[in-house]
Amino acid sequence: MPTTSNPAIRNLLTLDGAVAPVGPSTTGGAAGATTTDRPITLDDIVIKTLVVFGVLTASAFLTVFLELGFLALPALLAGLGIGIYLAFRPRPSAALALLYAAAQGVVLGEATQFFDALQPGVGTQAVIGTGCIFAGALAAYHTRVVRVSAKATRWAVGTACGLVVLFLADLLASWVFGADLGLQDGGVPAIAVSVVAIAAASYFFLVEFETANRFLQSGASHRWAWYVAFGLAMTLVWLYLEILRLLSYLRWW
């Protein structure tokens, strides 16, 4: 399988015995209890992913229904913090995966409500578009129409980092200097950036599928299913927001 320069993917292949086959282990204590760990299965990944996606969706709906949009900024910062932490220090944490989903659900709910108010129906289109890309990426990976390679992964990671720098520069220019770099006005540069971001996010689905496959083949602990679910949720959030933004731009044309 290809190697990758992505620290998140590279780390999870070597950290905490993630790729080591698991088996019976005994923990100390007065009772001398024995706990048995077991290898990860596809059912583990599917169930944990559905749970995380469920929390994400429920949080988004509650944000709109209870008008919790004022929590969007702290939720965004919390989600970014958890995302960066788990990307560079991978660990199978159910609590962090679910907390990330709950926080980002607030962001998705508020973003959807905001853009839908400007362009009615754009939220539904973004949901459909995200679902189609997810299904298409899964089918492409399963049939090996598109393969995860080190070169393509480096491109995706580099693109993601470049987009982060670009958006931070745009925010800095807007807040400090009152300048407009043209990344949020619906013009050609803004649309081009969104298309590139959507392409990179779509490829990251393939990277997450490859990660899940490596865990399955290595016999890693079933607890790592939470990390796979987190990675898929993080990519889903990024993709959905980019599609939402792109659709809002296209409505202006």
Side-chain angles (χ1 to χ4, degrees), residues 189-210:
I191 292 176
V193 169
S194 287
V195 170
V196 171
I198 289 172
S202 301
Y203 182 81
F204 268 105
F205 273 136
L206 301 178
V207 175
E208 298 301 336
F209 297 149
E210 179 71 8

Side-chain angles (χ1 to χ4, degrees), residues 156-184:
V157 173
T159 300
C161 293
L163 288 171
V164 170
V165 173
L166 191 60
F167 286 131
L168 289 177
D170 182 57
L171 288 176
L172 183 64
S174 176
W175 291 350
V176 178
F177 304 105
D180 183 9
L181 300 183
L183 300 182
Q184 302 181 47

